[in-house]
Amino acid sequence: RTLSVSATKDQEIVDLNKYKGFKNGNLLGFLEDIISRQKHTWYLFTGSAVRLMEDILAGPASPFLGRIIEFHVKPFNKEDTIQLIYKCTEKPITSEALNFLFTLSKGHPFYTVILAGAASGNASDFNIISKQHIEEAFISELSAGALDIHCNYLFETSLSRLKGRGTFMMEILRELSSGRATLTELSKRLGRQTGYLSTHLHNLYNVDLINKDKKAYYITDSILTFWLKNIYGNEETNLQHVKERIQENYKEYFASLSSEAGILFESYLREMLNKFDGQYYQEIQLPKFDDVQGINMFDSNGIVFGRPSNIEVDALCRGIKNWLFEFKYRKKSVGKKDIELLKRKRDFVEN
């Protein structure tokens, strides 16, 4: 038996449906008539507009209702994102940078690849990728790089799917780029009746540009939100001025991103280690360090855990003597296994 696969995209389905030759504009009915007479054939329909695809193929009026299998491609979790980052660069990366990149991209593989690659380029003269390199990559790529191109494409193509496309849709999105808002709040800000506004919000929702949570609307993609607020519609042609405009707002944006308590604790302790200057604590002389960094590296040979895995070190401190630290911020005593693991990490880092 042979199996053939045919693929088409969401926008192609919508565009082809305009032609009267397909059963007077009913492309899906036309396809269903052909498919019902075929055997050993799979059809693959793909698209980035999830709600549009669901309406086309699984809506109440669709001839394919109940006859399709849906696969939703979701963002990566933290572990998978880390694996992807190590495929983008051979450089070690600090803990802050790694966690910050994941928080910034939210596991979106395209954003992860773009930011990791650009940050690696920014760190070409350094031994390790830091959080600053991630920030520089974000500003550069958003102002005149791959993120700018992607957001512009996503924004324009999403709006092109809507009937009656106009400046009012853009006004709604620009307003939402400042934060979540209810229908009543948007109505007051934009000076339009709630009934008129509801139709446009429904259209923006259907093309996945916005979402709704507890009566408040918001733009689904956080990076697109920041792009709309700082880049779109800005007539400034001087690239340096554009970057300066982004820098004015990005600290507030970064601060709004969620952080784990453990990350903040580790950063605090690394700051303490940085202040060690050979001074004495009771009868113990503290070391002096030239550089303190939390690092993440990929152990492809399985030296630490016996299998290829990501290796995180809370603090690698360099000075006359190099020190390696692991922090315990939970109420848990250190056991023999913890010491053995620390030794294996030391051996891995030394190698």
Side-chain angles (χ1 to χ4, degrees):
R1 292 186 176 184
T2 59
L3 174 68
S4 59
V5 178
S6 178
T8 188
K9 296 182 179 180
D10 52 7
Q11 193 59 42
E12 291 172 351
I13 295 173
V14 174
D15 292 340
L16 286 173
N17 201 49
K18 299 174 184 177
Y19 290 92
K20 300 299 181 182
F22 296 119
K23 282 193 173 182
N24 197 29
N26 187 3
L27 173 64
L28 293 180
F30 178 82
L31 285 174
E32 197 274 339
D33 184 49
I34 296 174
I35 293 171
S36 63
R37 292 183 270 115
Q38 293 177 328
K39 295 182 179 180
H40 313 308
T41 302
W42 283 89
Y43 281 81
L44 177 64
F45 298 91
T46 66
S48 57
V50 178
R51 297 187 183 102
L52 178 61
M53 291 296 294
E54 289 176 338
D55 183 59
I56 290 172
L57 299 173
S62 173
F64 297 108
L65 179 63
R67 299 171 60 185
I68 64 169
I69 301 173
E70 294 184 34
F71 296 95
H72 290 262
V73 181
K74 298 180 179 180
F76 289 178
N77 58 27
K78 186 173 183 179
E79 183 178 347
D80 290 337
T81 302
I82 290 172
Q83 299 303 317
L84 179 58
I85 291 171
Y86 283 117
K87 290 182 181 295
C88 298
T89 178
E90 296 180 353
K91 283 182 172 292
I93 180 170
T94 68
S95 298
E96 289 96 340
L98 191 68
N99 286 292
F100 183 67
L101 202 162
F102 173 70
T103 304
L104 189 61
S105 69
K106 291 183 169 59
H108 192 302
F110 178 75
Y111 294 156
T112 301
V113 169
I114 292 300
L115 292 174
S120 182
N122 292 340
S124 59
D125 296 330
F126 299 85
N127 295 324
I128 193 168
I129 299 174
S130 68
K131 181 182 176 182
Q132 182 180 349
H133 295 133
I134 303 294
E135 294 179 356
E136 291 171 354
F138 179 77
I139 293 171
S140 176
E141 294 300 319
L142 194 72
S143 57
L147 291 185
D148 178 38
I149 295 171
H150 170 76
C151 287
N152 189 71
Y153 171 80
L154 179 64
F155 182 61
E156 294 291 342
T157 54
S158 295
L159 287 182
S160 69
R161 296 188 180 110
L162 302 174
K163 294 180 180 179
R165 175 191 177 197
T167 56
F168 187 57
M169 295 272 189
M170 299 179 186
E171 286 182 38
I172 295 174
L173 291 169
R174 290 298 295 273
E175 191 65 42
L176 287 176
S177 70
S178 298
R180 298 185 176 213
T182 64
L183 177 61
T184 303
E185 290 169 341
L186 286 172
S187 177
K188 291 180 180 179
R189 295 177 193 173
L190 296 169
R192 300 295 181 100
Q193 296 293 327
T194 55
Y196 177 77
L197 191 56
S198 292
T199 301
H200 293 283
L201 287 170
H202 180 72
N203 288 336
L204 291 171
Y205 178 86
N206 282 339
V207 294
D208 302 296
L209 276 177
I210 66 172
N211 214 328
K212 187 179 180 182
D213 179 40
K214 297 179 181 179
K215 296 184 179 181
Y217 292 92
Y218 63 94
I219 299 174
T220 309
D221 189 320
S222 58
I223 288 184
L224 177 64
T225 303
F226 192 79
W227 178 82
L228 284 168
K229 186 176 182 179
N230 293 275
I231 303 296
Y232 188 79
N234 184 6
E235 302 299 328
E236 178 63 66
T237 57
N238 187 309
L239 182 59
Q240 184 57 38
H241 290 170
V242 173
K243 290 184 176 181
E244 290 172 359
R245 175 183 172 85
I246 295 174
Q247 286 177 314
E248 290 175 4
N249 298 290
Y250 88 100
K251 289 184 179 179
E252 179 183 350
Y253 172 70
F254 289 155
S256 69
L257 299 175
S258 60
S259 299
E260 299 174 18
I263 299 172
L264 297 176
F265 179 83
E266 291 170 9
S267 298
Y268 172 72
L269 288 184
R270 279 191 287 270
E271 187 64 29
M272 288 183 61
L273 292 173
N274 260 316
K275 294 179 180 179
F276 285 6
D277 193 27
Q279 69 268 42
Y280 279 85
Y281 173 74
Q282 295 181 1
E283 296 180 357
I284 302 172
Q285 184 178 14
L286 300 178
K288 179 179 179 180
F289 301 123
D290 300 319
D291 180 60
V292 177
Q293 294 276 14
I295 61 172
N296 273 270
M297 296 180 287
F298 189 69
D299 176 13
S300 58
N301 296 320
I303 295 173
V304 178
F305 292 108
R307 66 183 187 282
S309 59
N310 177 62
I311 306 301
E312 182 174 350
V313 175
D314 291 339
L316 175 61
C317 307
R318 296 166 181 166
I320 297 176
K321 290 185 177 181
N322 298 325
W323 288 61
L324 185 140
F325 286 81
E326 285 286 277
F327 305 138
K328 290 287 185 182
Y329 55 90
R330 294 184 177 90
K331 293 182 179 180
K332 184 179 179 182
S333 61
V334 176
K336 182 179 178 181
K337 290 184 178 180
D338 296 312
I339 300 299
E340 290 174 347
L341 176 60
L342 185 61
K343 287 180 178 179
R344 292 198 298 273
K345 284 189 176 183
R346 178 201 62 188
D347 293 340
F348 173 72
V349 172
E350 284 183 342
N351 291 333

